[in-house]
Amino acid sequence: MTRKRVVMESVLFAAAIYIGYFVFMMLQGMVLTQRYVRDLDLSRQYEQTESLPAQAAFGMIERNSEWFTVAAIGGFIVLSGLYGSVRWLLAKRRPQS
């Protein structure tokens, strides 16, 4: 097994984990949005004002943070490195046929 193949597998494995996480979060948001039940009494109280949209919270507020970006990239590198090192050690142990 070549190092190039191990590196490629590591990157693809980490990418699949990250993509799976984001797909899960999107599906969870879609299900929660579909199951959302409005409180009609509360809606009627705020019919004349525009403060209701400011008070209702859907999802999360995305803040552009450098720390979040560094953590995401660092996690990707750590996950890739961990997978690659385990895969490389297992490939060295296995007898070549």
Side-chain angles (χ1 to χ4, degrees):
M1 176 173 297
T2 64
R3 287 184 183 181
K4 190 181 218 181
R5 179 174 173 178
V6 171
V7 169
M8 183 63 77
E9 284 181 10
S10 300
V11 169
L12 291 175
F13 176 76
I17 295 294
Y18 269 71
I19 290 170
Y21 173 74
F22 286 121
V23 167
F24 172 74
M25 295 301 287
M26 286 190 304
L27 292 175
Q28 184 182 25
M30 289 171 53
V31 168
L32 289 175
T33 301
Q34 286 178 348
R35 292 186 179 180
Y36 173 71
V37 178
R38 289 179 29 174
D39 185 3
L40 294 178
D41 292 333
L42 182 65
S43 297
R44 287 190 193 112
Q45 290 175 2
Y46 290 103
E47 282 179 350
Q48 302 300 324
T49 63
E50 294 188 22
S51 64
L52 184 61
Q55 293 177 2
F58 288 100
M60 71 176 209
I61 298 172
E62 181 66 34
R63 292 182 177 90
N64 291 333
S65 171
E66 292 84 21
W67 286 108
F68 180 74
T69 305
V70 168
I73 293 171
F76 186 83
I77 291 170
V78 167
L79 189 60
S80 295
L82 182 64
Y83 177 83
S85 61
V86 169
R87 182 81 166 105
W88 182 259
L89 288 174
L90 289 176
K92 280 180 126 180
R93 260 190 204 172
R94 194 175 349 178
Q96 299 293 328
S97 49

